[in-house]
Every structure is written in structure tokens, then in C-alpha cells.
């Protein structure tokens, strides 16, 4: 397992659950044992959860595995089926699970400014939490899941928060502009200043007698200047696939896999945020950067691996259910399943937009393709199960 976070750990568990009793090696570039990432932007950032609470392994769990932590993978040798590490070591294996995740995108020009953060790892969260403790004004650039959750958490800590998003609404890429406007209302109702439809021209800083200049504001593309003591950049993530150059593994926006996680190299599968699985419904490859995918998809990929499947082999192993994510922000739980596209018809099936408690269904023609729920978990779950049943009735996956 190259990658020792949730997806790699889930793959190791699936191997043991499905009867594999051989050797297991888990390689991680971070020095930490696997930990849960969703709380980093919420409970951990707010100080309501400790590092011990983030642990993903149970006290009684024993995978009988070898752990190599704090060592990044630098190359995959397909002939030897060996993973070369940054510390000079090489690990050979009969099969390889690629679970190298993704890294946060940074904003060019901010590298030398103190007080500018991304949030992807435990170390990132430690640094941001410490910086927020002495801050009064926070600017969050990017109103995706991480950005919106950090904005909400910072408001509960008493900071003045400005959320900047170049799209017309928060989460617009995932749930569409119409429903994203509802999320903007939730943020504004909590006291977050939401600025949509404008980008960032420059992040400015003030020179100090010692150390790097300290951030002091953000200049927007419309000319406005927003003061800031701390800036968080939440503009997406890059899949961790650079180390695969020359390996023969096909990559695009992630490792290109069939609908069961098999890559173009026999005995090599990919799971988690770095993996772009073929989606039969969309007819294209998609990366799913959410907790549920990192938990459930590895079992499908491991089953294909143990069966000896490779991409395009015509395996009859079924793909997992449609992607699902949730986000806790502004005192509400937002849940979404499926894939939305511009032009989908959206109807509110239960609840109301005015109350900000509803279930909305996205349709393409007569077919439901996605469902959004805000604070109505039971009706949302019913629609999510319906989407999953429709997926099982769809044609068998093609590479």
C-alpha cells in the first residue's frame, strides 16, 4: 500500500477481510499513523477534538503489517514491481495498491508570506489552529468544502470571516449555482461575509524585522481590498501521481482505472483521492475526493486484485454505489449523492428552500442522477438508496 491514510488503511483491511494472509507493507509520506481528515476543518480546528480522537485504527486492531512512515514514494519500477522511496530504500511486492492521495493547491506568490495556510494534513491543521488563536480577521479563498467548513468553524471561534469565491456561489461545481446560493445564505446567516463572482489579484504582506513578511490583506480582481490576519487557500487539490512517471501506469487527472480500480498494469490498483475510476454512467473517468469513497471503494478494488483482474479485462465485479459526501457547516448537515451537471432539472421533493431544510433531486431527462439534502437525513437516505439501485441496473462497466 503506497499511501497510509484512510484509503490505504481501508485497502489493507479489505485484503485481510477477503482472506489474504500474506505480507502487507504500508508506506506513508507523513510520520503519523492513519488519522481521520474530515474533523481537521471542524472539531479539531475548533479545539473540540484531540489528535488521539483522530486515530483511525482501533486499540485491538492488528493487520499484521509492516509500516514505513515518513518516507515518500519516488518511483514505481514495473519490471521489478518495486517502490523506490525518497530515503533510498526499495520495497518489492507481488501487488501494489496506489493510495497516494492528493496535495492542496497553493496560490502563486504566497510562498514567502507568513500566515497563509492550506489545510490537508494534521500538520497543516496544527499550524492553522495556532495561527487562528491570535487572529481577528480571516480571509478564506475558495468556497468549496474545505473553505466553507473552515469559514464556518472560524466564525464559531469569534473571528471576522470573509469567504471569497470566483464562481457565482459556494459549492457551485458540486451542487450547482442554484443550490450553492442556499449554502451562501447559510454562511451569511452565521455572519460570514460571502463575496462571490470575484477572484484574487494579490495577497499582500507587511515586512517584519525578523522572519518572513506577514500577510495583511487580499486584493480582489474587482479592486476591493480585504484586510486579513490569516489567509486560508482552499482552491482544490492535485492528485499524488507525479512519482508514477515512467512506470507504465496511465495517469490523467489521477491514476486512470477501470470501474473496479484496476490500472493498466496487472497487479496494480488505485484507490482514494489519487484514483480516477471509470464511471459507466458518465462514460468518463472521475476522481472522488470524499471519505465514503476512500472507505468503500478499496473493497471493490481489492476484490478485483485478488481475482486477477486488470483494466479492460471484462471483470464482472460491480462498481460501488454513486459517490456520496457530506459537509457539516453553519450548524447544518449537507449531504449529496450522485453527479450533477449544468442543465439538470432540480426539484424540491421534501421540505422547503425558505426553511433551509429540504431534499432536492437532480434529473437528466426522466432519470434521477443526484440528490441533495440539508438537515433531512431520512428522506435523503431513501433517495440515495434509489440512486444506488438504479446504478446496479445500469449496464456492466466498460473500461
Amino acid at each position: 500500500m503506497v499511501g497510509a491514510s484512510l484509503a490505504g488503511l481501508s485497502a489493507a483491511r479489505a485484503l485481510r477481510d477477503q482472506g489474504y494472509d500474506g505480507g502487507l507493507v504500508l508506506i506513508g509520506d507523513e510520520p503519523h499513523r492513519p488519522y481521520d481528515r474530515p474533523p481537521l476543518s471542524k472539531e479539531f480546528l475548533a479545539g473540540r477534538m484531540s489528535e488521539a480522537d483522530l486515530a483511525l485504527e482501533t486499540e485491538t486492531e492488528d493487520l499484521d503489517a509492516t509500516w514505513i512512515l515518513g518516507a515518500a514514494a519516488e518511483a514505481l519500477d514495473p519490471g521489478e514491481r518495486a517502490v523506490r522511496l525518497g530515503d533510498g530504500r526499495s520495497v518489492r511486492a507481488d501487488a501494489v495498491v496506489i493510495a497516494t492521495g492528493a496535495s492542496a493547491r497553493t496560490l502563486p506568490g504566497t510562498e514567502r508570506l507568513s500566515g497563509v495556510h492550506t489545510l490537508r494534513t494534521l500538520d497543516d491543521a496544527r499550524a492553522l489552529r495556532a495561527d487562528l488563536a491570535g487572529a481577528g480577521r480571516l480571509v478564506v479563498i475558495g468556497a468549496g468544502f474545505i473553505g466553507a467548513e473552515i469559514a464556518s468553524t472560524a466564525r464559531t471561534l469569534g473571528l471576522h470571516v470573509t469567504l471569497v469565491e470566483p464562481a457565482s456561489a459556494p459549492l457551485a461545481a458540486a451542487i450547482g449555482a442554484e443550490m450553492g446560493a442556499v449554502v451562501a445564505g447559510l454562511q451569511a446567516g452565521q455572519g460570514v461575509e460571502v463575496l462571490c463572482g470575484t477572484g484574487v489579484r494579490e495577497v499582500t504582506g507587511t515586512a517584519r524585522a525578523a522572519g518572513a513578511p506577514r500577510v495583511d490583506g487580499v486584493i480582489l480582481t474587482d479592486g476591493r481590498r480585504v484586510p486579513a490576519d490569516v489567509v486560508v487557500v482552499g482552491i482544490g487539490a492535485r492528485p499524488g501521481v507525479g512519482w508514477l512517471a515512467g512506470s507504465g501506469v496511465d495517469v490523467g487527472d489521477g491514476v486512470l482505472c477501470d470501474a473496479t480500480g484496476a490500472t493498466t498494469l496487472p497487479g496494480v490498483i488505485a484507490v482514494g483521492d489519487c484514483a480516477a475510476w471509470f464511471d459507466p454512467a458518465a462514460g468518463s473517468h472521475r476522481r472522488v475526493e470524499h471519505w465514503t469513497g476512500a472507505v468503500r471503494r478499496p473493497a471493490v478494488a481489492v476484490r478485483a486484485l485478488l481475482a486477477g483482474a486488470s483494466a479492460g479485462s471484462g471483470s464482472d465485479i460491480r462498481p460501488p454505489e454513486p459517490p456520496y459526501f457530506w459537509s457539516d457547516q453553519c450548524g447544518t448537515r449537507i449531504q449529496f449523492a450522485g453527479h450533477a451537471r449544468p442543465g439538470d432539472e432540480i426539484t424540491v421533493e421534501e421540505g422547503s428552500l425558505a426553511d433551509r431544510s429540504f431534499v432536492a433531486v437532480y434529473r437528466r431527462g426522466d432519470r434521477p442522477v443526484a440528490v441533495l439534502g440539508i438537515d433531512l437525513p431520512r428522506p435523503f437516505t431513501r433517495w440515495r438508496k434509489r440512486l444506488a439501485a438504479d446504478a446496479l441496473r445500469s449496464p456492466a462497466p466498460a473500461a
Side-chain angles (χ1 to χ4, degrees):
M1 262 60 66
V2 189
S5 192
L6 178 60
L9 177 63
S10 297
R13 286 170 169 166
L15 281 161
R16 293 304 190 210
D17 290 344
Q18 294 180 32
Y20 174 72
D21 59 4
L24 282 180
V25 179
L26 286 95
I27 300 167
D29 61 348
E30 294 185 63
H32 313 293
R33 300 282 286 208
Y35 58 88
D36 206 16
R37 294 183 190 272
L40 295 181
S41 59
K42 300 181 284 289
E43 295 90 347
F44 182 80
L45 190 61
R48 299 192 301 270
M49 182 177 284
S50 70
E51 292 186 19
D53 296 327
L54 299 174
L56 288 172
E57 298 166 275
T58 66
E59 293 182 359
T60 59
E61 185 171 24
D62 183 9
L63 292 170
D64 189 22
T66 298
W67 293 81
I68 301 176
L69 300 176
E74 285 197 343
L76 172 62
D77 182 336
E80 295 291 327
R81 195 157 299 162
V83 177
R84 189 174 74 244
L85 306 181
D87 60 10
R89 283 179 289 178
S90 186
V91 181
R92 294 186 62 185
D94 299 306
V96 176
V97 178
I98 300 170
T100 41
S103 59
R105 295 181 184 274
T106 57
L107 198 63
T110 63
E111 298 85 355
R112 295 176 55 83
L113 281 178
S114 174
V116 178
H117 298 262
T118 59
L119 180 56
R120 186 77 187 181
T121 68
L122 174 57
D123 292 338
D124 292 339
R126 287 171 173 169
L128 178 57
R129 186 165 73 172
D131 228 2
L132 291 181
R137 301 181 68 92
L138 169 69
V139 174
V140 181
I141 302 171
F145 301 103
I146 292 293
E149 289 174 358
I150 292 172
S152 176
T153 301
R155 276 299 299 147
T156 68
L157 297 175
L159 279 78
H160 182 283
V161 181
T162 303
L163 186 59
V164 179
E165 170 56 52
S168 60
L171 306 184
I175 65 176
E178 180 182 351
M179 293 296 111
V182 177
V183 176
L186 294 172
Q187 291 281 348
Q190 194 182 11
V192 175
E193 182 183 14
V194 182
L195 304 179
C196 291
T198 184
V200 172
R201 178 184 299 167
E202 183 184 0
V203 179
T204 61
T206 302
R208 298 184 295 177
R214 177 78 191 187
V215 67
D216 62 11
V218 175
I219 299 176
L220 306 181
T221 52
D222 61 13
R224 284 178 289 179
R225 183 181 184 277
V226 184
D229 302 311
V230 178
V231 169
V232 174
V233 179
I235 55 175
R238 294 185 179 90
V241 297
W243 68 283
L244 294 169
S247 68
V249 174
D250 281 352
V251 298
D253 180 29
V255 180
L256 301 182
C257 309
D258 70 5
T260 64
T263 73
T264 47
L265 287 183
V268 180
I269 61 174
V271 295
D273 292 357
C274 70
W277 285 27
F278 184 78
D279 183 343
S284 61
H285 291 85
R286 293 180 182 270
R287 284 196 304 121
V288 176
E289 296 183 73
H290 300 294
W291 188 92
T292 307
V295 170
R296 297 188 176 181
R297 289 192 168 199
V300 176
V302 162
R303 194 170 297 116
L305 178 65
L306 296 178
S310 61
S313 66
S315 169
D316 61 357
I317 299 172
R318 301 300 298 179
E321 63 189 36
Y324 163 74
F325 68 79
W326 80 93
S327 177
D328 293 323
Q329 52 184 276
C330 307
T332 65
R333 168 153 286 199
I334 301 170
Q335 295 174 282
F336 189 85
H339 289 296
R341 293 179 185 170
D344 289 344
E345 180 186 2
I346 305 175
T347 58
V348 175
E349 302 289 335
E350 298 194 39
S352 72
L353 296 179
D355 294 336
R356 293 173 183 163
S357 176
F358 61 89
V359 170
V361 176
Y362 298 64
R363 290 181 173 85
R364 209 163 296 146
D366 295 331
R367 182 187 176 194
V369 293
V371 57
L372 168 70
I374 295 184
D375 278 351
L376 282 182
R378 289 186 178 179
F380 171 85
T381 299
R382 289 198 298 270
W383 275 100
R384 182 186 172 195
K385 289 179 178 178
R386 178 173 171 180
L387 288 180
D390 287 348
L392 288 175
R393 290 193 292 267
S394 65

